[in-house]
Amino acid sequence: MTGGPRRRSPSVAIPAESDVLVLGGGPAGTWAALGAASRGARVTLVDKGYCGTSGSTAAAGNNLWYLPPGGPAREKAVAAREISGGYLTDRRWMFRLLDQTWDAVGQLADWGYPFPTSDDGTQRRASLQGPEYMRLMRRRVRRAGVAVIDQSPALELLVDPDGVVTGAAGLRRQHAGERWEVRAGAVILATGGCAFRSGALGLNVDTGDGALMAAELGADLSGMEFSCQYGIAPAFGAQTKGLMYQFATFTAADGTELACGLRPGGVLEVQRAALYSQVYAQLDLAEPGIRSAMRWSQPNFFLPFDKIGVDPFARRFPIRFVLEGTVRGTGGLRLVDDGCATAVPGLFAAGDAASREPVTGAVSGGGSHNGSWAIASGSWAGAAAARFASTRAGQWRTAPLAHGGGPGLRPRAARGDLRADDVVEAVQDRVLPLRHNRFRTAADLRESLTVLDALWPVVAGGLTAADGDPRSVLRTREATAMLAHARWMYRSALARPETRGMHLRDDSPQTTPAFARRIRVGGLDEVWTALDVAPPALLRTEETEETAVP
Amino acid sequence: MIEVISDSRCVDCGICVDVCPTNVFDLSADGPPVIARQSDCQTCFMCEAYCPTDALFVAPLAGPAPTGSPLADEAALEAQNRFGEYRRWLGWGHGRTPGSRRDQNHVFTARALSPPKRAGR
């Protein structure tokens, strides 16, 4: 231990005004910040935690949906995804995603990301290790002149008299909860999805804060029924990294084999078995010769086993299924144009905060489609937000601004006794267990909604502020966001009386062509759903349209 | 969850306080940072990755380590060379090669897409 003053990174002052404000510092937020800055915008990026470690990507890493231009690979992959995604994807979005990802990953290589090199000397660029990737992104963002503000969760959006989003406000949790406000010409939500604080790897910062703020201003969401992705974790922890379970044999308590590998039907059988008893896995299908490559590819998968002294190749270990919610699900804020605008003017969304149905459909975007989506949607949102801010009339710099935040922030009535943690627990009771959220029935969904809907007015009325800590409002806001997500999720699940992709209705196991439509959801006091009128733009439809455009 | 800040390894730089995505640590007036909100720890190991002196140990458990657990015992962890383990894999630290250079995820994603026929066992 050394004496003297400790070295701290200097605290960055929060600019009062910025052309573009990015909320969230994961991949989507950092690509958004770079996209806006490269178009000359002054950019501020605010993260709840720390840009570089926050969120799913930094902790877990991801593969990318990364295919070379030219040749048949992309066409083939898009066609395959259209089928596996339950016919809810959009062909044009998939191709532009692949284009954007290809270019962006080339930039990563130029910036010095240490990709592995194959025998012929070319780099393999379809996998990004999380800590390395996000440390590099933070450096690039700072080098681009972006003001990066860490440990400063946003609590609400600010709007001008015309209802255009003109900034955000929040608190600095390492500065005694001091409040901040940034006025901005456009705001990008890159706040991640909602994983209900399940403990899944890196996901506890993902409490759905952005969608709550957006919904308060009337934004709607889409695909929220596809929010029931569960990761596999050793029972002692919650490290949800799935890829290595392709080498697993899954067994019941008595040793009966349930499934092996990651065949979707097989994993489902294991999940069904887990409803009734402890289930186990062992990576016994991995030949000794491949084990070193496994370790170097995903060190964070093996680290927990090494630390606890369990050899996952040599003996079986109990596993559990941990909800990854909308982070590895599909649903989020509905985007209304190619620049990732939401339904609220001045407000853009990127990454897991936005619905990924156009590129993943009804199945998980896993780490690959979602990883590419973060890059591409962030870049698009950054460019579009910069354009929006630069073409916007100058009054936004002086216009009076209204605070958009309501429930969990501004009590409507006298505060009650309920604590934020009580609300989170009640929500988790209904959304985390496989029996409620993986294997759905109309009756059970209604029962959940009865509980959750009854909580809403209590939360909106006002939770207790008994502890007097100014930072506690973050907890109540997070609890409010999680409750809102649970209600959107189950209302959407009720509105889809069929089985499609990850959405499994045990009372309606068939897939119904009439429901090859996206489902929109929105509202807070009253939650509504609506089946999209237009079918998604699939291969055939889009080809027709393309020939019409010179 | 985070269990140990090694008093002998820590140089009080405060980086763990800065980088923790769930704000688990607090600076202390003198001496190493403190684990102020262990229950907020999400076991993401990012603090270990960023600690320049390998002074932190995050147990791989979803909850706090039981009393007397070797996973919270600095001497036991030191004896097993557990400090700095994640950084060695990441190749972070002076003179190391980034672990990402040895990333072979392409093998595993390809295999997951078209699994081999199951060999007789």
Side-chain angles (χ1 to χ4, degrees), chain A residues 421-431 451-452 455:
Chain A
D421 287 351
D422 300 331
V423 175
V424 174
E425 235 172 79
V427 170
Q428 288 177 334
D429 273 352
R430 298 307 307 193
V431 303
V451 175
L452 299 166
L455 264 177

Side-chain angles (χ1 to χ4, degrees), chain A residues 6-9 53 114-115 124 127 132 151 173-174 202 204 236 246 257 284 297-298 306-307 475, chain B residues 12-13 17-21 23 27-28 31 40 42 48 58 82 92 100 103-105 108 118 121:
Chain A
R6 59 178 52 90
R7 188 191 66 74
R8 290 292 312 267
S9 46
T53 66
F115 285 110
R124 297 192 184 279
S127 165
E132 198 72 63
Q151 306 288 355
R173 61 185 183 183
Q174 294 188 346
N204 276 9
F236 60 79
Q246 67 182 279
E257 182 174 320
D284 55 349
S297 298
Q298 303 207 347
D306 292 344
K307 284 184 169 199
R475 297 261 181 199
Chain B
D12 308 354
C13 70
V17 182
D18 290 342
V19 304
C20 174
N23 197 32
L27 289 171
S28 67
D40 286 344
Q42 58 173 354
E48 276 192 27
V58 179
R82 288 286 170 222
W92 282 16
S100 65
D103 183 344
Q104 292 193 58
N105 268 297
F108 305 109
R118 193 177 175 189
R121 286 186 302 144

Side-chain angles (χ1 to χ4, degrees), chain A residues 357-523:
Chain A
E357 282 166 303
V359 300
T360 71
V363 297
S364 175
S368 80
H369 285 62
N370 283 358
S372 296
W373 172 255
I375 292 172
S377 63
S379 305
W380 296 327
R387 204 177 313 125
F388 184 93
S390 70
T391 54
R392 192 171 166 185
Q395 300 94 297
W396 69 265
R397 296 173 198 281
T398 51
L401 301 181
H403 291 252
L409 192 56
R410 296 193 172 78
R412 288 178 186 168
R415 288 178 182 278
D417 299 332
L418 206 65
R419 300 171 313 133
D421 287 351
D422 300 331
V423 175
V424 174
E425 235 172 79
V427 170
Q428 288 177 334
D429 273 352
R430 298 307 307 193
V431 303
L432 296 188
L434 289 166
R435 70 176 184 281
H436 292 313
N437 203 358
R438 185 75 191 96
F439 302 103
R440 294 166 166 176
T441 63
D444 190 68
L445 290 167
R446 287 205 187 92
E447 194 183 299
S448 292
L449 282 165
T450 304
V451 175
L452 299 166
D453 287 347
L455 264 177
W456 182 259
V458 182
V459 171
L463 297 171
T464 178
D467 70 357
D469 184 338
R471 293 171 298 187
S472 296
V473 66
L474 173 61
R475 297 261 181 199
T476 60
R477 258 319 239 188
E478 289 177 334
T480 308
M482 286 187 259
L483 176 59
H485 276 75
R487 294 170 72 224
W488 291 328
M489 197 164 96
Y490 282 164
R491 197 71 69 189
S492 302
L494 262 183
R496 187 177 286 287
E498 61 154 2
T499 289
R500 186 179 298 271
M502 75 175 77
H503 168 66
L504 202 70
R505 281 283 298 266
D506 269 358
D507 55 344
S508 305
Q510 306 300 320
T511 300
T512 311
F515 279 98
R517 297 274 201 284
R518 297 182 194 142
I519 292 174
R520 298 183 187 184
V521 64

